[in-house]
Amino acid sequence: MARRRRKNRKILKIVLFLVLLVAAGVICFLVWQSYFSGENNNVEESVEIEQEEEVKRDNGVEDEKKAIEESQDEEVVEKEKVVQYEGENPNKQEELTGVVTYAGVNDGVLMVRVNIDQYISGGRCNLVLRQNGVDVYGASAEIIASVATSTCDGFEVPVSNIGVGDFEIVINLNANGKTGVIRGGVNI
């Protein structure tokens, strides 16, 4: 009996191996078939697409030729000129204008930067810092011309000179016989 069980186990192992081998073969066949059958479909589709594109190109060339011939027959119509810059030219204003572009504290120094709307090739910016209506600090800087606008050379005020709190920034501009005032604020 012991020999029969061993023989049965041996046969069972061989049958199981064959079943696994057949299953692996079937799976490989299905994967192989699906991979290559999908590629053939893509090849057929791409051939059809290429043929359609050639037809479109041929039609497109003919259409372009017709359009060119028609446009030559028609009168040339000029487009209206586009005005890029509408509004007043700030350089022609009677008063200088601008804006405080930056006012903040960096490493214990209040930095104030100003942009002037007009192109000015010289002049002065006079900074006044006011707290509660009282002038606390004053400084002056040169006006520096940029490409289309101008700027003040910049103001750097040590915070130890002015203290802390809310300050009104008033910058009086004077250049080429024109004046202007730029206002802003900062909290230190």
Side-chain angles (χ1 to χ4, degrees):
M1 284 264 225
R3 283 187 166 185
R4 221 173 204 205
R5 285 188 185 178
R6 286 184 190 163
K7 212 175 194 182
N8 286 341
R9 285 184 186 170
K10 192 174 188 180
I11 292 173
L12 184 63
K13 287 181 182 179
I14 291 173
V15 170
L16 185 61
F17 176 75
L18 289 174
V19 168
L20 289 175
L21 186 63
V22 170
V26 169
I27 291 173
C28 287
F29 174 75
L30 293 175
V31 169
W32 182 272
Q33 185 179 7
S34 68
Y35 177 75
F36 284 108
S37 67
E39 187 175 289
N40 289 338
N41 290 340
N42 291 340
V43 171
E44 291 172 8
E45 290 175 11
S46 65
V47 169
E48 290 175 12
I49 291 172
E50 288 175 8
Q51 290 172 349
E52 290 175 9
E53 288 178 359
E54 286 179 19
V55 170
K56 288 179 183 177
R57 274 189 242 137
D58 292 340
N59 291 341
V61 170
E62 291 174 11
D63 292 341
E64 286 180 26
K65 288 179 183 177
K66 289 178 184 177
I68 291 172
E69 290 172 2
E70 290 174 4
S71 67
Q72 289 174 350
D73 294 340
E74 296 176 6
E75 292 182 26
V76 177
V77 177
E78 291 187 31
K79 294 182 181 179
E80 293 181 28
K81 293 184 179 180
V82 177
V83 179
Q84 284 186 332
Y85 305 104
E86 293 185 15
E88 292 183 25
N89 182 351
N91 291 323
K92 294 181 181 178
Q93 292 181 348
E94 295 294 321
E95 186 176 296
L96 299 176
T97 58
V99 65
V100 175
T101 56
Y102 178 77
V105 177
N106 189 12
D107 293 329
V109 177
L110 171 65
M111 298 171 65
V112 178
R113 300 295 182 255
V114 178
N115 188 43
I116 303 169
D117 296 333
Q118 291 81 12
Y119 177 81
I120 304 168
S121 60
R124 302 286 305 161
C125 299
N126 296 311
L127 167 74
V128 176
L129 293 176
R130 291 186 181 146
Q131 189 175 34
N132 299 324
V134 178
D135 292 354
V136 177
Y137 184 85
S140 181
E142 291 289 322
I143 293 178
I144 299 172
S146 187
V147 176
T149 61
S150 302
T151 185
C152 294
D153 191 24
F155 299 100
E156 296 183 2
V157 182
V159 174
S160 60
N161 291 355
I162 57 173
V164 295
D166 290 329
F167 292 90
E168 179 185 4
I169 299 171
V170 178
I171 299 175
N172 296 304
L173 305 172
N174 189 355
N176 300 338
K178 294 182 180 181
T179 60
V181 178
I182 299 175
R183 298 181 184 276
V186 66
N187 183 353
I188 301 175

PDB file of all heavy atoms in Angstrom, residues 117-139:
ATOM      1  N   ASP A 117       5.436 109.072 -12.812  1.00  0.00           N
ATOM      2  CA  ASP A 117       4.797 108.732 -14.087  1.00  0.00           C
ATOM      3  C   ASP A 117       5.450 109.397 -15.291  1.00  0.00           C
ATOM      4  O   ASP A 117       5.355 108.892 -16.401  1.00  0.00           O
ATOM      5  CB  ASP A 117       3.309 109.109 -14.050  1.00  0.00           C
ATOM      6  CG  ASP A 117       2.536 108.310 -13.022  1.00  0.00           C
ATOM      7  OD1 ASP A 117       2.952 107.170 -12.711  1.00  0.00           O
ATOM      8  OD2 ASP A 117       1.514 108.817 -12.528  1.00  0.00           O
ATOM      9  N   GLN A 118       6.108 110.503 -15.116  1.00  0.00           N
ATOM     10  CA  GLN A 118       6.689 111.247 -16.222  1.00  0.00           C
ATOM     11  C   GLN A 118       8.173 110.901 -16.388  1.00  0.00           C
ATOM     12  O   GLN A 118       8.840 110.516 -15.431  1.00  0.00           O
ATOM     13  CB  GLN A 118       6.551 112.765 -15.995  1.00  0.00           C
ATOM     14  CG  GLN A 118       5.144 113.285 -16.068  1.00  0.00           C
ATOM     15  CD  GLN A 118       4.355 113.064 -14.772  1.00  0.00           C
ATOM     16  OE1 GLN A 118       4.900 112.712 -13.744  1.00  0.00           O
ATOM     17  NE2 GLN A 118       3.060 113.261 -14.842  1.00  0.00           N
ATOM     18  N   TYR A 119       8.659 111.124 -17.599  1.00  0.00           N
ATOM     19  CA  TYR A 119      10.088 110.983 -17.866  1.00  0.00           C
ATOM     20  C   TYR A 119      10.742 112.321 -17.555  1.00  0.00           C
ATOM     21  O   TYR A 119      10.457 113.331 -18.196  1.00  0.00           O
ATOM     22  CB  TYR A 119      10.340 110.602 -19.329  1.00  0.00           C
ATOM     23  CG  TYR A 119      11.801 110.507 -19.660  1.00  0.00           C
ATOM     24  CD1 TYR A 119      12.516 109.365 -19.350  1.00  0.00           C
ATOM     25  CD2 TYR A 119      12.470 111.571 -20.259  1.00  0.00           C
ATOM     26  CE1 TYR A 119      13.857 109.270 -19.643  1.00  0.00           C
ATOM     27  CE2 TYR A 119      13.814 111.489 -20.552  1.00  0.00           C
ATOM     28  CZ  TYR A 119      14.506 110.334 -20.239  1.00  0.00           C
ATOM     29  OH  TYR A 119      15.852 110.248 -20.515  1.00  0.00           O
ATOM     30  N   ILE A 120      11.616 112.329 -16.550  1.00  0.00           N
ATOM     31  CA  ILE A 120      12.285 113.553 -16.105  1.00  0.00           C
ATOM     32  C   ILE A 120      13.775 113.274 -16.042  1.00  0.00           C
ATOM     33  O   ILE A 120      14.204 112.277 -15.468  1.00  0.00           O
ATOM     34  CB  ILE A 120      11.785 113.980 -14.703  1.00  0.00           C
ATOM     35  CG1 ILE A 120      10.269 114.138 -14.711  1.00  0.00           C
ATOM     36  CG2 ILE A 120      12.453 115.263 -14.272  1.00  0.00           C
ATOM     37  CD1 ILE A 120       9.684 114.278 -13.335  1.00  0.00           C
ATOM     38  N   SER A 121      14.562 114.171 -16.600  1.00  0.00           N
ATOM     39  CA  SER A 121      16.006 113.938 -16.614  1.00  0.00           C
ATOM     40  C   SER A 121      16.744 114.772 -15.576  1.00  0.00           C
ATOM     41  O   SER A 121      17.897 115.104 -15.748  1.00  0.00           O
ATOM     42  CB  SER A 121      16.555 114.241 -18.011  1.00  0.00           C
ATOM     43  OG  SER A 121      16.293 115.588 -18.338  1.00  0.00           O
ATOM     44  N   GLY A 122      16.096 115.092 -14.488  1.00  0.00           N
ATOM     45  CA  GLY A 122      16.755 115.831 -13.422  1.00  0.00           C
ATOM     46  C   GLY A 122      15.721 116.427 -12.493  1.00  0.00           C
ATOM     47  O   GLY A 122      14.558 116.586 -12.850  1.00  0.00           O
ATOM     48  N   GLY A 123      16.112 116.718 -11.288  1.00  0.00           N
ATOM     49  CA  GLY A 123      15.202 117.302 -10.325  1.00  0.00           C
ATOM     50  C   GLY A 123      15.414 116.703  -8.953  1.00  0.00           C
ATOM     51  O   GLY A 123      16.343 115.925  -8.729  1.00  0.00           O
ATOM     52  N   ARG A 124      14.529 117.071  -8.017  1.00  0.00           N
ATOM     53  CA  ARG A 124      14.673 116.631  -6.620  1.00  0.00           C
ATOM     54  C   ARG A 124      13.379 116.025  -6.108  1.00  0.00           C
ATOM     55  O   ARG A 124      12.281 116.459  -6.459  1.00  0.00           O
ATOM     56  CB  ARG A 124      15.019 117.815  -5.709  1.00  0.00           C
ATOM     57  CG  ARG A 124      16.260 118.588  -6.026  1.00  0.00           C
ATOM     58  CD  ARG A 124      17.579 117.983  -5.724  1.00  0.00           C
ATOM     59  NE  ARG A 124      17.796 117.547  -4.364  1.00  0.00           N
ATOM     60  CZ  ARG A 124      18.758 116.682  -4.047  1.00  0.00           C
ATOM     61  NH1 ARG A 124      19.553 116.201  -4.969  1.00  0.00           N
ATOM     62  NH2 ARG A 124      18.933 116.330  -2.817  1.00  0.00           N
ATOM     63  N   CYS A 125      13.537 115.052  -5.228  1.00  0.00           N
ATOM     64  CA  CYS A 125      12.446 114.460  -4.448  1.00  0.00           C
ATOM     65  C   CYS A 125      12.717 114.834  -2.993  1.00  0.00           C
ATOM     66  O   CYS A 125      13.809 114.578  -2.484  1.00  0.00           O
ATOM     67  CB  CYS A 125      12.444 112.939  -4.552  1.00  0.00           C
ATOM     68  SG  CYS A 125      12.214 112.278  -6.191  1.00  0.00           S
ATOM     69  N   ASN A 126      11.729 115.417  -2.330  1.00  0.00           N
ATOM     70  CA  ASN A 126      11.882 115.786  -0.925  1.00  0.00           C
ATOM     71  C   ASN A 126      10.896 114.966  -0.100  1.00  0.00           C
ATOM     72  O   ASN A 126       9.680 115.116  -0.247  1.00  0.00           O
ATOM     73  CB  ASN A 126      11.629 117.281  -0.720  1.00  0.00           C
ATOM     74  CG  ASN A 126      12.669 118.109  -1.448  1.00  0.00           C
ATOM     75  OD1 ASN A 126      13.858 117.870  -1.326  1.00  0.00           O
ATOM     76  ND2 ASN A 126      12.222 119.071  -2.230  1.00  0.00           N
ATOM     77  N   LEU A 127      11.435 114.101   0.748  1.00  0.00           N
ATOM     78  CA  LEU A 127      10.625 113.221   1.587  1.00  0.00           C
ATOM     79  C   LEU A 127      10.329 113.883   2.923  1.00  0.00           C
ATOM     80  O   LEU A 127      11.214 114.460   3.548  1.00  0.00           O
ATOM     81  CB  LEU A 127      11.371 111.901   1.842  1.00  0.00           C
ATOM     82  CG  LEU A 127      10.813 110.994   2.935  1.00  0.00           C
ATOM     83  CD1 LEU A 127       9.525 110.318   2.454  1.00  0.00           C
ATOM     84  CD2 LEU A 127      11.827 109.946   3.338  1.00  0.00           C
ATOM     85  N   VAL A 128       9.056 113.777   3.341  1.00  0.00           N
ATOM     86  CA  VAL A 128       8.661 114.218   4.674  1.00  0.00           C
ATOM     87  C   VAL A 128       7.863 113.081   5.296  1.00  0.00           C
ATOM     88  O   VAL A 128       6.905 112.590   4.701  1.00  0.00           O
ATOM     89  CB  VAL A 128       7.795 115.500   4.621  1.00  0.00           C
ATOM     90  CG1 VAL A 128       7.316 115.878   6.010  1.00  0.00           C
ATOM     91  CG2 VAL A 128       8.574 116.640   3.990  1.00  0.00           C
ATOM     92  N   LEU A 129       8.281 112.634   6.478  1.00  0.00           N
ATOM     93  CA  LEU A 129       7.525 111.639   7.237  1.00  0.00           C
ATOM     94  C   LEU A 129       6.772 112.372   8.334  1.00  0.00           C
ATOM     95  O   LEU A 129       7.378 113.118   9.120  1.00  0.00           O
ATOM     96  CB  LEU A 129       8.460 110.591   7.849  1.00  0.00           C
ATOM     97  CG  LEU A 129       9.179 109.678   6.866  1.00  0.00           C
ATOM     98  CD1 LEU A 129      10.136 108.749   7.609  1.00  0.00           C
ATOM     99  CD2 LEU A 129       8.193 108.858   6.056  1.00  0.00           C
ATOM    100  N   ARG A 130       5.449 112.167   8.376  1.00  0.00           N
ATOM    101  CA  ARG A 130       4.601 112.827   9.377  1.00  0.00           C
ATOM    102  C   ARG A 130       3.956 111.768  10.252  1.00  0.00           C
ATOM    103  O   ARG A 130       3.482 110.748   9.766  1.00  0.00           O
ATOM    104  CB  ARG A 130       3.508 113.637   8.700  1.00  0.00           C
ATOM    105  CG  ARG A 130       4.019 114.834   7.974  1.00  0.00           C
ATOM    106  CD  ARG A 130       2.885 115.674   7.447  1.00  0.00           C
ATOM    107  NE  ARG A 130       3.439 116.815   6.719  1.00  0.00           N
ATOM    108  CZ  ARG A 130       2.893 117.342   5.669  1.00  0.00           C
ATOM    109  NH1 ARG A 130       1.759 116.885   5.203  1.00  0.00           N
ATOM    110  NH2 ARG A 130       3.467 118.360   5.071  1.00  0.00           N
ATOM    111  N   GLN A 131       3.920 112.095  11.560  1.00  0.00           N
ATOM    112  CA  GLN A 131       3.221 111.230  12.510  1.00  0.00           C
ATOM    113  C   GLN A 131       2.283 112.117  13.319  1.00  0.00           C
ATOM    114  O   GLN A 131       2.738 113.079  13.957  1.00  0.00           O
ATOM    115  CB  GLN A 131       4.226 110.514  13.423  1.00  0.00           C
ATOM    116  CG  GLN A 131       3.595 109.446  14.284  1.00  0.00           C
ATOM    117  CD  GLN A 131       4.648 108.675  15.075  1.00  0.00           C
ATOM    118  OE1 GLN A 131       5.666 109.236  15.496  1.00  0.00           O
ATOM    119  NE2 GLN A 131       4.390 107.396  15.277  1.00  0.00           N
ATOM    120  N   ASN A 132       0.995 111.799  13.242  1.00  0.00           N
ATOM    121  CA  ASN A 132      -0.042 112.596  13.917  1.00  0.00           C
ATOM    122  C   ASN A 132       0.000 114.061  13.488  1.00  0.00           C
ATOM    123  O   ASN A 132      -0.158 114.974  14.294  1.00  0.00           O
ATOM    124  CB  ASN A 132       0.089 112.478  15.442  1.00  0.00           C
ATOM    125  CG  ASN A 132      -0.072 111.049  15.911  1.00  0.00           C
ATOM    126  OD1 ASN A 132      -0.864 110.294  15.361  1.00  0.00           O
ATOM    127  ND2 ASN A 132       0.701 110.666  16.920  1.00  0.00           N
ATOM    128  N   GLY A 133       0.261 114.327  12.202  1.00  0.00           N
ATOM    129  CA  GLY A 133       0.253 115.687  11.662  1.00  0.00           C
ATOM    130  C   GLY A 133       1.526 116.466  11.914  1.00  0.00           C
ATOM    131  O   GLY A 133       1.631 117.628  11.527  1.00  0.00           O
ATOM    132  N   VAL A 134       2.509 115.866  12.565  1.00  0.00           N
ATOM    133  CA  VAL A 134       3.760 116.553  12.889  1.00  0.00           C
ATOM    134  C   VAL A 134       4.873 115.984  12.020  1.00  0.00           C
ATOM    135  O   VAL A 134       5.031 114.764  11.907  1.00  0.00           O
ATOM    136  CB  VAL A 134       4.113 116.367  14.381  1.00  0.00           C
ATOM    137  CG1 VAL A 134       5.443 117.027  14.712  1.00  0.00           C
ATOM    138  CG2 VAL A 134       3.002 116.898  15.270  1.00  0.00           C
ATOM    139  N   ASP A 135       5.660 116.875  11.390  1.00  0.00           N
ATOM    140  CA  ASP A 135       6.802 116.421  10.593  1.00  0.00           C
ATOM    141  C   ASP A 135       7.850 115.815  11.520  1.00  0.00           C
ATOM    142  O   ASP A 135       8.344 116.480  12.442  1.00  0.00           O
ATOM    143  CB  ASP A 135       7.418 117.591   9.813  1.00  0.00           C
ATOM    144  CG  ASP A 135       6.489 118.114   8.730  1.00  0.00           C
ATOM    145  OD1 ASP A 135       5.421 117.501   8.514  1.00  0.00           O
ATOM    146  OD2 ASP A 135       6.830 119.128   8.094  1.00  0.00           O
ATOM    147  N   VAL A 136       8.206 114.542  11.254  1.00  0.00           N
ATOM    148  CA  VAL A 136       9.157 113.824  12.106  1.00  0.00           C
ATOM    149  C   VAL A 136      10.525 113.721  11.448  1.00  0.00           C
ATOM    150  O   VAL A 136      11.555 113.763  12.114  1.00  0.00           O
ATOM    151  CB  VAL A 136       8.615 112.406  12.422  1.00  0.00           C
ATOM    152  CG1 VAL A 136       9.594 111.610  13.243  1.00  0.00           C
ATOM    153  CG2 VAL A 136       7.274 112.484  13.109  1.00  0.00           C
ATOM    154  N   TYR A 137      10.534 113.597  10.126  1.00  0.00           N
ATOM    155  CA  TYR A 137      11.798 113.365   9.424  1.00  0.00           C
ATOM    156  C   TYR A 137      11.704 113.953   8.022  1.00  0.00           C
ATOM    157  O   TYR A 137      10.648 113.955   7.400  1.00  0.00           O
ATOM    158  CB  TYR A 137      12.066 111.850   9.328  1.00  0.00           C
ATOM    159  CG  TYR A 137      13.388 111.491   8.708  1.00  0.00           C
ATOM    160  CD1 TYR A 137      14.554 111.445   9.453  1.00  0.00           C
ATOM    161  CD2 TYR A 137      13.469 111.186   7.353  1.00  0.00           C
ATOM    162  CE1 TYR A 137      15.768 111.121   8.877  1.00  0.00           C
ATOM    163  CE2 TYR A 137      14.676 110.846   6.769  1.00  0.00           C
ATOM    164  CZ  TYR A 137      15.826 110.816   7.530  1.00  0.00           C
ATOM    165  OH  TYR A 137      17.030 110.490   6.960  1.00  0.00           O
ATOM    166  N   GLY A 138      12.830 114.426   7.511  1.00  0.00           N
ATOM    167  CA  GLY A 138      12.893 114.950   6.149  1.00  0.00           C
ATOM    168  C   GLY A 138      14.187 114.532   5.479  1.00  0.00           C
ATOM    169  O   GLY A 138      15.219 114.401   6.133  1.00  0.00           O
ATOM    170  N   ALA A 139      14.114 114.305   4.184  1.00  0.00           N
ATOM    171  CA  ALA A 139      15.307 113.942   3.412  1.00  0.00           C
ATOM    172  C   ALA A 139      15.073 114.338   1.960  1.00  0.00           C
ATOM    173  O   ALA A 139      13.944 114.598   1.539  1.00  0.00           O
ATOM    174  CB  ALA A 139      15.588 112.452   3.521  1.00  0.00           C
TER     175      ALA A 139
END
